[in-house]
Coordinates of all heavy atoms in Angstrom, one line a residue:
M815 N -22.8 9.3 9.0 CA -21.5 9.3 8.3 C -20.4 9.6 9.2 O -20.5 10.3 10.2 CB -21.5 10.3 7.1 CG -22.6 10.0 6.1 SD -22.4 8.5 5.2 CE -21.4 9.0 3.8
I816 N -19.2 9.0 8.9 CA -18.0 9.2 9.7 C -17.1 10.1 8.9 O -16.8 9.8 7.8 CB -17.4 7.8 10.0 CG1 -18.4 6.7 10.4 CG2 -16.2 8.0 10.9 CD1 -19.0 7.0 11.7
E817 N -16.6 11.1 9.6 CA -15.7 12.0 8.9 C -14.3 11.5 9.2 O -13.9 11.3 10.3 CB -15.8 13.5 9.4 CG -14.9 14.4 8.7 CD -15.1 15.9 9.2 OE1 -16.1 16.5 8.9 OE2 -14.2 16.3 9.9
V818 N -13.5 11.4 8.1 CA -12.1 11.0 8.2 C -11.2 12.0 7.5 O -11.5 12.4 6.3 CB -11.8 9.6 7.7 CG1 -10.3 9.2 7.9 CG2 -12.7 8.6 8.3
T819 N -10.1 12.5 8.1 CA -9.2 13.4 7.4 C -7.9 12.6 7.1 O -7.3 12.0 8.0 CB -8.8 14.6 8.3 OG1 -10.0 15.3 8.6 CG2 -7.8 15.5 7.6
F820 N -7.6 12.5 5.8 CA -6.3 11.9 5.4 C -5.4 13.1 5.0 O -5.8 14.0 4.3 CB -6.6 11.1 4.1 CG -7.4 9.9 4.3 CD1 -8.8 9.9 4.2 CD2 -6.8 8.7 4.7 CE1 -9.6 8.8 4.4 CE2 -7.6 7.5 4.9 CZ -8.9 7.6 4.8
I821 N -4.2 13.0 5.5 CA -3.2 14.0 5.3 C -2.0 13.4 4.5 O -1.3 12.5 5.0 CB -2.7 14.7 6.6 CG1 -3.9 15.3 7.3 CG2 -1.7 15.8 6.3 CD1 -3.6 15.9 8.7
N822 N -1.8 13.9 3.3 CA -0.6 13.4 2.5 C 0.7 13.9 3.1 O 0.7 14.9 3.9 CB -0.8 13.8 1.0 CG -2.0 13.2 0.4 OD1 -3.0 13.8 0.2 ND2 -1.8 11.9 0.0
A823 N 1.8 13.3 2.7 CA 3.1 13.7 3.2 C 3.4 15.1 2.9 O 4.2 15.7 3.7 CB 4.2 12.8 2.6
D824 N 2.8 15.7 1.8 CA 3.1 17.1 1.5 C 2.2 18.1 2.3 O 2.2 19.3 2.1 CB 3.0 17.4 0.0 CG 1.5 17.2 -0.5 OD1 0.6 16.9 0.3 OD2 1.4 17.4 -1.7
G825 N 1.3 17.5 3.2 CA 0.4 18.3 4.0 C -0.9 18.5 3.5 O -1.8 19.1 4.1
T826 N -1.2 18.0 2.2 CA -2.5 18.2 1.6 C -3.5 17.4 2.4 O -3.3 16.2 2.7 CB -2.5 17.7 0.2 OG1 -1.5 18.4 -0.5 CG2 -3.9 18.0 -0.5
K827 N -4.7 18.0 2.8 CA -5.7 17.4 3.5 C -6.9 17.0 2.6 O -7.2 17.7 1.7 CB -6.3 18.3 4.6 CG -5.3 18.5 5.8 CD -6.0 19.4 6.9 CE -5.1 19.6 8.0 NZ -5.7 20.4 9.1
H828 N -7.4 15.8 2.9 CA -8.6 15.3 2.2 C -9.6 14.9 3.3 O -9.4 13.9 4.0 CB -8.3 14.1 1.3 CG -7.2 14.3 0.4 ND1 -7.4 14.8 -0.9 CD2 -5.8 14.2 0.5 CE1 -6.2 14.9 -1.5 NE2 -5.3 14.6 -0.7
I829 N -10.6 15.6 3.4 CA -11.7 15.3 4.4 C -12.8 14.7 3.7 O -13.4 15.2 2.8 CB -12.1 16.6 5.1 CG1 -10.9 17.3 5.8 CG2 -13.2 16.3 6.2 CD1 -11.2 18.7 6.4
I830 N -13.1 13.4 4.1 CA -14.1 12.7 3.4 C -15.2 12.2 4.5 O -14.9 12.2 5.7 CB -13.5 11.5 2.6 CG1 -12.8 10.5 3.6 CG2 -12.6 12.0 1.6 CD1 -13.5 9.3 3.9
A831 N -16.3 11.8 4.0 CA -17.4 11.3 4.8 C -17.6 9.8 4.3 O -17.8 9.6 3.1 CB -18.7 12.1 4.7
A832 N -17.6 8.9 5.3 CA -17.8 7.5 4.9 C -18.9 6.9 5.7 O -19.2 7.3 6.8 CB -16.5 6.8 5.2
A833 N -19.4 5.8 5.2 CA -20.5 5.1 5.9 C -19.9 4.2 7.0 O -18.7 3.7 6.9 CB -21.2 4.2 4.9
E834 N -20.6 4.1 8.1 CA -20.1 3.2 9.2 C -20.0 1.8 8.6 O -20.8 1.3 7.8 CB -21.2 3.2 10.3 CG -20.7 2.6 11.6 CD -21.6 3.0 12.8 OE1 -22.4 3.9 12.7 OE2 -21.4 2.3 13.8
G835 N -18.9 1.1 9.1 CA -18.7 -0.3 8.7 C -17.7 -0.5 7.6 O -17.2 -1.6 7.4
V836 N -17.4 0.6 6.8 CA -16.4 0.4 5.7 C -15.1 0.6 6.4 O -14.9 1.2 7.5 CB -16.6 1.4 4.5 CG1 -18.0 1.2 3.9 CG2 -16.3 2.8 5.0
S837 N -14.0 0.2 5.7 CA -12.7 0.4 6.2 C -12.1 1.8 5.8 O -12.6 2.4 4.9 CB -11.7 -0.7 5.7 OG -11.4 -0.5 4.4
A838 N -11.1 2.2 6.6 CA -10.5 3.5 6.2 C -9.9 3.4 4.8 O -9.9 4.4 4.1 CB -9.5 3.9 7.3
M839 N -9.4 2.2 4.4 CA -8.9 2.1 3.1 C -10.0 2.2 2.0 O -9.8 3.0 1.1 CB -8.2 0.7 2.9 CG -7.6 0.4 1.5 SD -8.8 -0.1 0.3 CE -9.2 -1.8 0.8
E840 N -11.1 1.6 2.2 CA -12.2 1.7 1.3 C -12.7 3.1 1.2 O -13.0 3.6 0.1 CB -13.3 0.8 1.7 CG -13.0 -0.7 1.6 CD -14.0 -1.6 2.3 OE1 -14.5 -1.3 3.4 OE2 -14.4 -2.7 1.7
A841 N -12.7 3.8 2.3 CA -13.2 5.2 2.3 C -12.2 6.1 1.5 O -12.7 6.9 0.7 CB -13.3 5.7 3.8
A842 N -10.9 5.8 1.7 CA -10.0 6.6 0.9 C -10.0 6.4 -0.6 O -10.1 7.3 -1.4 CB -8.6 6.3 1.5
V843 N -10.0 5.1 -0.9 CA -10.0 4.7 -2.3 C -11.2 5.2 -3.1 O -11.2 5.7 -4.2 CB -9.8 3.2 -2.5 CG1 -10.0 2.7 -3.9 CG2 -8.4 2.8 -2.0
S844 N -12.4 5.0 -2.4 CA -13.6 5.4 -3.1 C -13.8 6.9 -3.2 O -14.6 7.4 -4.0 CB -14.8 4.8 -2.4 OG -14.9 5.4 -1.1
N845 N -12.9 7.7 -2.5 CA -12.9 9.1 -2.6 C -11.7 9.7 -3.3 O -11.4 10.8 -3.2 CB -13.1 9.7 -1.2 CG -14.5 9.7 -0.6 OD1 -15.3 10.5 -1.0 ND2 -14.7 8.7 0.2
N846 N -11.0 8.8 -3.9 CA -9.8 9.1 -4.7 C -8.7 9.9 -4.0 O -8.1 10.8 -4.5 CB -10.2 10.0 -6.0 CG -11.1 9.2 -6.9 OD1 -10.9 8.1 -7.2 ND2 -12.2 9.8 -7.2
V847 N -8.5 9.5 -2.7 CA -7.4 10.0 -1.9 C -6.1 9.5 -2.5 O -6.0 8.3 -2.6 CB -7.6 9.7 -0.4 CG1 -6.4 10.2 0.4 CG2 -8.9 10.3 0.1
P848 N -5.2 10.4 -2.8 CA -3.9 9.9 -3.4 C -3.0 9.2 -2.3 O -3.2 9.5 -1.1 CB -3.3 11.1 -4.0 CG -3.9 12.3 -3.3 CD -5.3 11.8 -2.8
D849 N -2.1 8.4 -2.8 CA -1.1 7.8 -1.9 C -1.6 6.7 -1.0 O -1.0 6.4 0.0 CB -0.3 8.8 -1.1 CG 0.5 9.7 -2.0 OD1 0.9 9.3 -3.1 OD2 0.8 10.9 -1.6
I850 N -2.7 6.1 -1.4 CA -3.2 4.9 -0.7 C -3.9 4.1 -1.8 O -4.7 4.5 -2.5 CB -4.2 5.2 0.5 CG1 -4.6 4.0 1.2 CG2 -5.4 6.1 0.0 CD1 -5.2 4.2 2.5
D851 N -3.4 2.9 -1.9 CA -3.8 2.0 -3.1 C -4.8 0.9 -2.7 O -5.7 0.7 -3.4 CB -2.5 1.4 -3.7 CG -1.6 2.5 -4.3 OD1 -2.1 3.6 -4.6 OD2 -0.4 2.2 -4.5
G852 N -4.5 0.2 -1.7 CA -5.4 -1.0 -1.4 C -5.4 -2.0 -2.4 O -6.5 -2.5 -2.8
D853 N -4.2 -2.4 -2.9 CA -4.1 -3.3 -4.1 C -4.8 -4.7 -3.8 O -5.3 -5.3 -4.8 CB -2.7 -3.6 -4.5 CG -2.1 -2.3 -5.1 OD1 -2.8 -1.5 -5.6 OD2 -0.8 -2.3 -5.2
C854 N -4.8 -5.2 -2.6 CA -5.4 -6.5 -2.4 C -6.9 -6.5 -2.1 O -7.5 -7.5 -1.8 CB -4.6 -7.2 -1.3 SG -5.0 -6.6 0.4
G855 N -7.4 -5.3 -2.1 CA -8.9 -5.2 -1.9 C -9.3 -5.3 -0.4 O -10.4 -5.5 -0.1
G856 N -8.3 -5.1 0.5 CA -8.6 -5.2 1.9 C -8.5 -6.5 2.6 O -9.0 -6.7 3.7
H857 N -7.7 -7.4 1.9 CA -7.5 -8.8 2.5 C -6.3 -8.9 3.3 O -5.8 -10.0 3.6 CB -7.5 -9.8 1.4 CG -8.9 -9.8 0.6 ND1 -10.0 -10.3 1.2 CD2 -9.2 -9.4 -0.6 CE1 -11.0 -10.2 0.3 NE2 -10.5 -9.6 -0.8
A858 N -5.7 -7.8 3.7 CA -4.5 -7.8 4.5 C -3.4 -8.6 3.9 O -2.8 -9.5 4.5 CB -4.8 -8.3 5.9
A859 N -3.1 -8.3 2.6 CA -2.2 -9.1 1.8 C -1.2 -8.3 1.0 O -0.4 -8.8 0.3 CB -2.9 -10.1 0.9
C860 N -1.2 -6.9 1.1 CA -0.4 -6.1 0.2 C 0.4 -5.0 0.9 O 1.4 -4.6 0.4 CB -1.2 -5.6 -0.9 SG -2.3 -4.2 -0.5
A861 N -0.1 -4.5 2.0 CA 0.5 -3.3 2.7 C 0.5 -2.0 1.9 O 1.3 -1.1 2.2 CB 1.9 -3.7 3.2
T862 N -0.3 -1.9 0.9 CA -0.4 -0.6 0.1 C -1.4 0.3 0.7 O -1.9 1.2 0.0 CB -0.6 -0.9 -1.4 OG1 -1.9 -1.5 -1.6 CG2 0.5 -1.7 -2.0
C863 N -1.9 0.0 1.9 CA -2.8 0.9 2.6 C -2.2 1.4 3.9 O -3.0 1.7 4.8 CB -4.1 0.2 2.8 SG -4.0 -1.3 3.9
H864 N -0.9 1.4 3.9 CA -0.2 1.8 5.2 C -0.6 3.3 5.5 O -0.5 4.2 4.7 CB 1.3 1.7 4.9 CG 2.2 2.2 6.0 ND1 3.5 2.6 5.8 CD2 2.0 2.3 7.3 CE1 4.0 2.9 6.9 NE2 3.2 2.7 7.9
V865 N -0.9 3.5 6.8 CA -1.2 4.8 7.3 C -0.6 5.0 8.6 O -0.3 4.0 9.3 CB -2.7 5.1 7.4 CG1 -3.4 5.1 6.0 CG2 -3.4 4.1 8.3
F866 N -0.4 6.2 9.0 CA 0.0 6.6 10.4 C -1.2 7.2 11.1 O -1.7 8.2 10.7 CB 1.2 7.6 10.4 CG 2.4 7.1 9.5 CD1 2.6 7.7 8.3 CD2 3.2 6.1 9.9 CE1 3.7 7.3 7.5 CE2 4.3 5.7 9.2 CZ 4.5 6.3 7.9
V867 N -1.6 6.6 12.2 CA -2.7 7.1 12.9 C -2.2 8.3 13.8 O -1.2 8.2 14.5 CB -3.3 6.0 13.9 CG1 -4.4 6.6 14.7 CG2 -3.7 4.8 13.1
E868 N -3.0 9.4 13.7 CA -2.6 10.6 14.5 C -2.7 10.1 16.0 O -3.6 9.4 16.4 CB -3.7 11.7 14.3 CG -3.5 12.9 15.2 CD -3.0 14.1 14.3 OE1 -2.5 13.9 13.2 OE2 -3.2 15.2 14.8
M869 N -1.6 10.5 16.7 CA -1.4 9.9 18.1 C -2.6 10.0 19.0 O -2.9 9.1 19.7 CB -0.2 10.6 18.7 CG 1.1 10.1 18.2 SD 1.3 8.3 18.3 CE 3.0 8.1 17.8
D870 N -3.4 11.1 18.9 CA -4.5 11.3 19.7 C -5.6 10.2 19.5 O -6.5 10.1 20.3 CB -5.2 12.7 19.5 CG -4.3 13.8 20.0 OD1 -3.3 13.5 20.7 OD2 -4.6 14.9 19.7
W871 N -5.5 9.5 18.3 CA -6.6 8.6 18.0 C -6.2 7.1 18.2 O -7.0 6.2 18.0 CB -7.0 8.8 16.5 CG -7.8 10.0 16.3 CD1 -7.3 11.2 16.0 CD2 -9.2 10.1 16.4 NE1 -8.3 12.1 15.9 CE2 -9.5 11.5 16.2 CE3 -10.2 9.2 16.7 CZ2 -10.8 11.9 16.2 CZ3 -11.5 9.7 16.7 CH2 -11.8 11.0 16.5
L872 N -5.0 6.9 18.6 CA -4.5 5.5 18.7 C -5.3 4.7 19.7 O -5.5 3.5 19.6 CB -3.0 5.5 19.1 CG -2.0 5.3 18.0 CD1 -0.6 5.3 18.5 CD2 -2.3 4.1 17.2
D873 N -5.7 5.3 20.8 CA -6.5 4.6 21.8 C -7.8 4.0 21.2 O -8.3 3.0 21.6 CB -6.9 5.5 23.0 CG -5.7 5.7 23.9 OD1 -4.7 5.0 23.7 OD2 -5.8 6.6 24.8
R874 N -8.3 4.8 20.2 CA -9.6 4.4 19.6 C -9.4 3.4 18.4 O -10.2 2.5 18.2 CB -10.4 5.6 19.2 CG -11.2 6.2 20.4 CD -11.8 7.5 20.2 NE -10.8 8.5 20.4 CZ -11.0 9.8 20.3 NH1 -12.2 10.3 19.9 NH2 -10.0 10.7 20.5
T875 N -8.4 3.6 17.7 CA -8.2 2.7 16.5 C -7.5 1.4 17.0 O -7.7 0.4 16.4 CB -7.2 3.3 15.5 OG1 -6.0 3.6 16.1 CG2 -7.8 4.6 14.9
G876 N -6.7 1.5 18.1 CA -5.9 0.4 18.5 C -4.6 0.4 17.6 O -4.5 1.1 16.6
R877 N -3.7 -0.4 18.1 CA -2.4 -0.5 17.4 C -2.4 -1.7 16.4 O -3.4 -2.5 16.4 CB -1.2 -0.7 18.3 CG -1.0 0.6 19.1 CD 0.1 0.5 20.1 NE 0.2 1.7 21.0 CZ 0.9 2.7 20.7 NH1 1.7 2.7 19.6 NH2 1.0 3.8 21.5
A878 N -1.4 -1.8 15.6 CA -1.4 -2.9 14.6 C -1.4 -4.3 15.3 O -0.6 -4.5 16.2 CB -0.1 -2.7 13.7
D879 N -2.2 -5.1 14.8 CA -2.3 -6.5 15.3 C -1.0 -7.3 14.9 O -0.5 -7.2 13.8 CB -3.5 -7.2 14.6 CG -3.5 -8.7 14.8 OD1 -3.9 -9.1 15.9 OD2 -3.1 -9.4 13.9
S880 N -0.5 -8.0 15.9 CA 0.8 -8.7 15.7 C 0.8 -9.9 14.8 O 1.8 -10.3 14.2 CB 1.4 -9.1 17.1 OG 0.6 -10.1 17.7
V881 N -0.4 -10.4 14.6 CA -0.5 -11.6 13.7 C -0.8 -11.2 12.3 O -0.2 -11.6 11.3 CB -1.7 -12.5 14.2 CG1 -1.9 -13.7 13.2 CG2 -1.3 -13.0 15.6
T882 N -1.8 -10.3 12.1 CA -2.2 -9.9 10.7 C -1.4 -8.7 10.2 O -1.0 -8.8 9.0 CB -3.7 -9.5 10.8 OG1 -4.5 -10.6 11.4 CG2 -4.2 -9.2 9.4
E883 N -1.2 -7.7 10.9 CA -0.7 -6.4 10.4 C 0.8 -6.3 10.4 O 1.4 -5.9 9.5 CB -1.4 -5.2 11.1 CG -2.8 -5.1 10.7 CD -3.4 -3.8 11.3 OE1 -3.0 -2.7 11.0 OE2 -4.4 -4.0 12.2
L884 N 1.4 -6.6 11.6 CA 2.8 -6.3 11.7 C 3.7 -7.1 10.7 O 4.6 -6.5 10.2 CB 3.3 -6.6 13.2 CG 2.8 -5.6 14.2 CD1 3.3 -6.0 15.6 CD2 3.3 -4.2 13.9
P885 N 3.4 -8.3 10.4 CA 4.2 -9.0 9.4 C 4.2 -8.3 8.1 O 5.2 -8.2 7.3 CB 3.6 -10.4 9.4 CG 3.0 -10.6 10.7 CD 2.5 -9.3 11.0
L886 N 3.0 -7.8 7.7 CA 2.9 -7.1 6.4 C 3.5 -5.7 6.4 O 4.1 -5.3 5.5 CB 1.4 -7.0 6.1 CG 0.8 -8.0 5.1 CD1 -0.7 -7.7 4.9 CD2 1.5 -8.1 3.8
L887 N 3.4 -5.1 7.6 CA 4.0 -3.7 7.7 C 5.5 -3.8 7.5 O 6.1 -2.8 7.2 CB 3.6 -3.1 9.0 CG 2.1 -2.5 9.0 CD1 1.7 -2.2 10.4 CD2 2.0 -1.3 8.1
E888 N 6.1 -4.9 7.7 CA 7.5 -5.0 7.5 C 7.9 -4.8 6.1 O 9.0 -4.5 5.7 CB 8.0 -6.4 8.0 CG 8.0 -6.6 9.5 CD 8.4 -8.0 9.9 OE1 8.8 -8.8 9.0 OE2 8.3 -8.3 11.1
L889 N 6.9 -5.0 5.2 CA 7.1 -4.7 3.7 C 7.0 -3.2 3.4 O 7.4 -2.8 2.3 CB 6.1 -5.5 2.9 CG 6.0 -7.0 3.1 CD1 4.8 -7.6 2.4 CD2 7.3 -7.7 2.8
A890 N 6.4 -2.5 4.3 CA 6.2 -1.0 4.0 C 7.4 -0.2 4.5 O 8.2 -0.7 5.3 CB 4.9 -0.6 4.7
E891 N 7.5 1.0 3.9 CA 8.6 1.9 4.3 C 8.2 2.8 5.4 O 7.1 3.3 5.5 CB 9.1 2.7 3.1 CG 9.7 1.8 2.0 CD 10.4 2.6 0.9 OE1 10.8 3.8 1.2 OE2 10.6 2.1 -0.2
G892 N 9.2 3.1 6.3 CA 9.0 4.1 7.3 C 8.0 3.8 8.3 O 7.3 4.6 8.9
V893 N 7.9 2.5 8.7 CA 6.9 2.1 9.7 C 7.3 2.6 11.0 O 8.4 2.7 11.4 CB 6.9 0.5 9.7 CG1 6.0 0.0 10.9 CG2 6.4 0.0 8.4
M894 N 6.2 3.1 11.7 CA 6.4 3.7 13.1 C 5.4 3.0 14.0 O 4.6 2.2 13.6 CB 6.2 5.2 13.0 CG 7.2 5.9 12.1 SD 7.2 7.7 12.3 CE 5.6 8.1 11.6
D895 N 5.5 3.4 15.3 CA 4.6 2.8 16.3 C 3.2 3.0 16.0 O 2.3 2.2 16.4 CB 4.9 3.3 17.7 CG 6.2 2.8 18.3 OD1 6.7 1.8 17.7 OD2 6.7 3.3 19.3
N896 N 2.9 4.0 15.3 CA 1.5 4.3 15.0 C 1.0 3.9 13.6 O 0.0 4.3 13.1 CB 1.2 5.8 15.2 CG 2.0 6.7 14.3 OD1 3.1 6.3 13.8 ND2 1.6 7.9 14.0
S897 N 1.8 3.0 13.0 CA 1.5 2.5 11.7 C 0.3 1.5 11.8 O 0.3 0.7 12.7 CB 2.7 1.8 11.0 OG 3.7 2.7 10.7
R898 N -0.6 1.5 10.8 CA -1.6 0.6 10.7 C -1.9 0.3 9.2 O -1.5 1.1 8.3 CB -3.0 1.1 11.3 CG -3.1 1.3 12.8 CD -3.2 0.0 13.5 NE -4.1 -1.0 13.0 CZ -5.4 -1.1 13.4 NH1 -5.9 -0.3 14.3 NH2 -6.2 -2.1 12.9
L899 N -2.5 -0.8 9.0 CA -3.1 -1.1 7.6 C -4.5 -0.5 7.7 O -5.3 -0.9 8.5 CB -3.2 -2.6 7.4 CG -1.8 -3.3 7.3 CD1 -2.1 -4.8 7.0 CD2 -1.0 -2.8 6.2
A900 N -4.8 0.5 6.8 CA -6.1 1.1 6.8 C -7.2 0.2 6.5 O -8.3 0.4 6.9 CB -6.1 2.3 5.8
C901 N -6.9 -0.9 5.8 CA -8.0 -1.9 5.5 C -8.5 -2.6 6.8 O -9.5 -3.2 6.8 CB -7.6 -2.8 4.4 SG -6.3 -4.0 4.9
Q902 N -7.7 -2.5 7.8 CA -8.0 -3.2 9.1 C -8.6 -2.3 10.1 O -8.9 -2.6 11.2 CB -6.8 -3.9 9.6 CG -6.2 -4.9 8.7 CD -7.2 -6.0 8.2 OE1 -7.7 -6.7 9.1 NE2 -7.4 -6.1 6.9
I903 N -8.8 -1.0 9.7 CA -9.5 0.0 10.6 C -10.9 0.1 10.1 O -11.2 0.7 9.0 CB -8.8 1.3 10.5 CG1 -7.3 1.2 11.0 CG2 -9.5 2.3 11.4 CD1 -6.5 2.5 10.8
K904 N -11.9 -0.5 10.8 CA -13.3 -0.4 10.4 C -13.9 0.9 11.1 O -13.7 1.1 12.3 CB -14.0 -1.6 10.9 CG -13.6 -2.9 10.3 CD -13.8 -3.0 8.8 CE -13.3 -4.3 8.2 NZ -13.0 -4.2 6.7
L905 N -14.5 1.7 10.2 CA -15.0 2.9 10.7 C -16.3 2.7 11.5 O -17.2 2.0 11.1 CB -15.2 3.9 9.6 CG -13.9 4.2 8.8 CD1 -14.3 5.1 7.6 CD2 -12.9 4.9 9.7
N906 N -16.4 3.4 12.6 CA -17.6 3.4 13.4 C -17.7 4.8 14.1 O -16.8 5.6 13.9 CB -17.6 2.3 14.4 CG -16.5 2.4 15.4 OD1 -16.3 3.4 16.0 ND2 -15.7 1.3 15.5
E907 N -18.8 5.0 14.8 CA -19.1 6.4 15.3 C -18.0 6.8 16.3 O -17.8 8.0 16.5 CB -20.5 6.5 15.9 CG -20.7 5.6 17.1 CD -22.2 5.7 17.6 OE1 -23.0 6.1 16.8 OE2 -22.4 5.4 18.8
T908 N -17.3 5.9 17.0 CA -16.3 6.3 17.9 C -15.1 6.9 17.1 O -14.2 7.5 17.7 CB -15.8 5.2 18.8 OG1 -15.1 4.2 18.0 CG2 -17.0 4.6 19.5
L909 N -15.0 6.6 15.8 CA -13.9 7.1 15.0 C -14.3 8.4 14.2 O -13.5 8.8 13.3 CB -13.4 6.0 14.1 CG -12.7 4.8 14.8 CD1 -12.3 3.7 13.8 CD2 -11.6 5.2 15.7
D910 N -15.4 8.9 14.4 CA -15.8 10.2 13.7 C -14.8 11.3 14.0 O -14.6 11.6 15.2 CB -17.2 10.6 14.2 CG -17.8 11.7 13.3 OD1 -17.4 11.9 12.2 OD2 -18.7 12.4 13.8
G911 N -14.2 11.8 13.0 CA -13.2 12.8 13.1 C -11.8 12.3 13.1 O -10.8 13.1 13.2
L912 N -11.6 11.0 12.8 CA -10.3 10.3 12.7 C -9.4 11.1 11.8 O -9.8 11.5 10.7 CB -10.5 8.9 12.3 CG -9.3 8.0 12.1 CD1 -8.5 7.8 13.4 CD2 -9.7 6.7 11.4
V913 N -8.1 11.1 12.2 CA -7.1 11.7 11.3 C -6.0 10.7 11.1 O -5.4 10.1 12.0 CB -6.4 13.0 12.0 CG1 -5.3 13.6 11.1 CG2 -7.5 14.0 12.3
L914 N -5.7 10.5 9.8 CA -4.7 9.5 9.3 C -3.7 10.2 8.4 O -4.1 10.9 7.5 CB -5.4 8.3 8.6 CG -6.4 7.5 9.4 CD1 -7.2 6.5 8.5 CD2 -5.7 6.8 10.5
H915 N -2.5 9.9 8.6 CA -1.4 10.5 7.8 C -0.9 9.4 6.8 O -0.9 8.2 7.2 CB -0.2 10.9 8.6 CG -0.6 12.1 9.6 ND1 -0.4 13.4 9.3 CD2 -1.2 12.0 10.8 CE1 -0.8 14.1 10.3 NE2 -1.3 13.3 11.2
L916 N -0.6 9.8 5.6 CA -0.2 8.9 4.6 C 1.3 9.0 4.3 O 1.9 10.1 4.4 CB -0.9 9.2 3.3 CG -2.5 9.0 3.3 CD1 -3.2 9.7 2.2 CD2 -2.7 7.5 3.3
P917 N 1.9 7.8 4.0 CA 3.3 7.9 3.7 C 3.5 8.6 2.3 O 2.6 8.8 1.6 CB 3.7 6.4 3.6 CG 2.5 5.6 3.5 CD 1.4 6.5 4.0
R918 N 4.8 8.8 2.0 CA 5.1 9.6 0.7 C 4.6 8.8 -0.5 O 4.3 9.4 -1.5 CB 6.6 9.8 0.7 CG 7.0 10.9 -0.3 CD 8.3 11.6 0.0 NE 8.3 12.3 1.2 CZ 7.7 13.6 1.3 NH1 7.2 14.2 0.3 NH2 7.8 14.2 2.5
G919 N 4.6 7.5 -0.4 CA 4.1 6.7 -1.5 C 3.8 5.3 -1.0 O 4.3 4.9 0.1
Q920 N 3.1 4.5 -1.8 CA 2.8 3.1 -1.4 C 3.4 2.2 -2.5 O 3.2 2.5 -3.7 CB 1.3 2.9 -1.3 CG 0.6 3.8 -0.4 CD 0.6 3.2 1.1 OE1 1.1 2.2 1.4 NE2 0.0 4.0 2.0
F921 N 4.1 1.2 -2.1 CA 4.7 0.3 -3.1 C 4.3 -1.1 -2.9 O 4.2 -1.6 -1.8 CB 6.3 0.4 -3.1 CG 6.7 1.9 -3.2 CD1 7.1 2.6 -2.1 CD2 6.7 2.4 -4.5 CE1 7.5 3.9 -2.3 CE2 7.1 3.8 -4.6 CZ 7.5 4.5 -3.5
Ligands
FES2067 S1 -5.5 -3.2 1.2 FE1 -4.0 -4.7 1.1 S2 -3.2 -4.8 3.1 FE2 -4.7 -3.3 3.2

């Protein structure tokens, strides 16, 4: 299992364990983590799974893809260099311990 910590804008931490191969969005939604919706089911079509990758983890997650993710992230609020669509982060053993921060809300 892969441990992922989601931190809401108010500082609340949600530490969950997910199976290898699922996306960070799927892991969050199936564990009822608030402030991440995943409205399109992970098809990179809604931007309601916007997360900020903790800087120490960016080398391992990679940055947002310019074809798939960046155009959608333009729809999200407060986008930063470490913004990603959580549905595009597939969990694997190199991401065990990953820390993702959530925006104040998803629209
Ligand atoms: S779940 Fe819709 S873009 Fe990620």
